[in-house]
Amino acid sequence: MTDAIGLQSLEQALSALSTRISSLREAKSAYPADPRSTLDAALAELDTARELLETSVRELRKAPRRSGQRESGSQRELKLLRQVFRTFPIPVAVLDASGVVRRISAETSRMLGSPAGYLIGRSFPLFVDVSRRAAFRSHLTAVQQGGQTATFQTRLAHQGRAHTVQLAITRLTMPGEPQEMVAVMILPLEAQVAGPPHGPADRSDATLVMAAARRQELLARMTRLLLDEESLRQPVTVTRAARLLASESADWVIADVIRDGVPARACVLGPSDKPVTQLVRLAEQMKPLAAPAIAHVLTGGSGVVHEMLEDERLLGDVPGGPPLLRVMNAASVLIVPIGGEDDVLGSLTLVRLRDREPFSLADLGVLEEIGVHLGLALRARRSFQTRSRAADALRTSVVPRSLPDIPGFEAAAIYNAGSSPVGAEFYDVFPTRDGWGFALGGAAGKGEEAASVSAMVRNGLRVLSVWESDPGEVMRKLNQALTAQHNGMFVMAVTGFIRARKIRLASAGHHPAALLQPDGGVRFTAGGGVPLGIAAEAEMFTEELTPASGQTLVFYSDGLVASQNELGEPYGETRLADVLARCVTRSPAEIVKTVEEDRHAFSGGRVWDEIVILALRVV
């Protein structure tokens, strides 16, 4: 069918071709076990379609429209021929010399899942499987230069649809076009649909609303994740965000962060259902600034979306190998900064493969918002870490990491911070001028100011004990120093100096200590006195003890005896005495542990205030 034919004959031939193609489709469905004969017949019909297309083009050449003329019979035939092309029963795309789509048939639009207005102007090789793009371009050039028709089998993918197809590529001279074109006829051999297409072909309000709802749900889930306490406490913020994006929005996610002014790769996540471990390792080793697209986002502070991938080197090359995007089999890329335009803290790179819907401008908008939220979370975490380190430093200043050995005594302590991020209770064991000393107490109140006052008292006790031999005198001087500051803070404390087996105690408004007798009896010391910081001339209460071998002194904070059960009843010193009476033969470490376990059971695990227990046993 190489000679010219009339329009009516051409229409009849196209109608017959459509009927035969429908029959072949029915045969393929009815006899799936015998695909060979159907395929051979389909390939023959592809040749027929090519000849019909060439004939249509020759008919188009015969009817050029002159400017200013009224529409003639030839012009009407030209319109009819264009309509014939649009309704061609086999998918056909007309490409220019560079491979850009100039015209497509309705069947092509249906197969690829996008309207003609969306596909025209796109580079056709972008629909071809990445592994065969180079070969397709070579066939395209050979057809343009030699004029011979070429056939080529590959996969086409777009909008979540993948088709194994046979392509017939032939050269065309189109009327009104200054250069020769190329027609690509597409015979689908096999099709896989990853899911309902959500691309530009479907413009219904319901679809748009659902797509917007999915993006808002992703943003909401990301916000909840970033506000989680673990994200603030642990260095997992970026990784957790990348995992959510990998599960919901992309096949590959690459996160880069700026550390000490230098971009560094934070994590790389690939498809969980594919063997990509080695490629993940290679991507982890690549430098962010070696990827032109990532470097552009990091320096410019604005996101980019490559809906249809044209440059495979956007993310750089695998070390010693091809472009990373080619190895990934990527089709669409989206990159957004972490943080704002004026303070870029890193970037998020999302990649979708060829069997998924490409990224859109709407995706870019929601991912840019996620990048801003992630930047806020990173800044909040840095602030939290700074405050946490300050809190740890304050806690270290009021609670020792370990207790030193006191000759003739065995010591143990337990500390429970409760709900307070910064502790105001302190305890300590330290060397004195003539022996050893210990202290326990806390400032009234919570937070950093109370902790700093407790740290000052604890350190003051250590310093003054080098010069003073009487704990009462040490406490008086601390009281004068504290009241002179006029900060309204006061401290309840007890301290004791040990010389040989004698212990001299000084109390400033603190609870009395419990003395465990070998016979199971428990008695309490006097305690009392005026807290530090209330009055400059307040007297400290002092007493002297000489505990015998096997006796244990137990000091405790108000948080212990003030603990309450679910009925609001306090733990109290009576219950404490009962528990201690069962521990007279135990070591200090066992005693403090037993008391804390009993309090925990009494209060149902609830802790409102800090708890300190210090035990000293004469050996």
Side-chain angles (χ1 to χ4, degrees), residues 507-543:
S507 175
H510 202 271
H511 288 282
L515 180 62
L516 281 62
Q517 310 286 346
D519 60 1
V522 177
R523 74 177 182 86
F524 289 88
T525 62
V530 180
L532 303 175
I534 292 180
E537 301 302 324
E539 290 295 326
M540 308 297 115
F541 187 88
T542 60
E543 63 180 307

Side-chain angles (χ1 to χ4, degrees), residues 9 26 90 115 136 138 153 160 226 259 261 276 300 320 324 346 355 419 445 475 485 501 511 522 538 545 570 598 613:
S9 298
E26 293 174 0
I90 288 179
F136 175 80
S138 296
Q153 184 171 320
L226 296 177
R259 297 172 181 153
V276 295
L324 177 61
D355 56 356
S419 60
M475 296 280 264
Q485 293 184 4
R501 287 196 175 184
H511 288 282
V522 177
L545 305 173
D598 185 73
I613 308 172

Side-chain angles (χ1 to χ4, degrees), residues 255-266 286-290 294 298 344-347 382:
D256 298 309
V257 296
I258 297 178
R259 297 172 181 153
D260 299 325
V262 179
R265 190 127 294 172
M286 298 174 66
K287 297 184 180 302
L289 293 181
I294 295 177
L298 289 174
V344 177
L345 304 178
S347 65
R382 290 177 182 177

Side-chain angles (χ1 to χ4, degrees), residues 127-143:
F127 303 118
V128 177
D129 189 78
V130 174
S131 63
R132 308 218 66 192
R133 281 184 193 171
F136 175 80
R137 289 190 175 102
S138 296
H139 280 290
L140 191 64
T141 301
V143 168

Side-chain angles (χ1 to χ4, degrees), residues 416-440:
N416 190 329
S419 60
S420 176
V422 180
E425 293 285 341
F426 69 90
Y427 71 90
D428 200 6
V429 175
F430 48 87
T432 66
R433 178 178 178 181
D434 302 314
W436 286 86
F438 60 87
L440 186 142

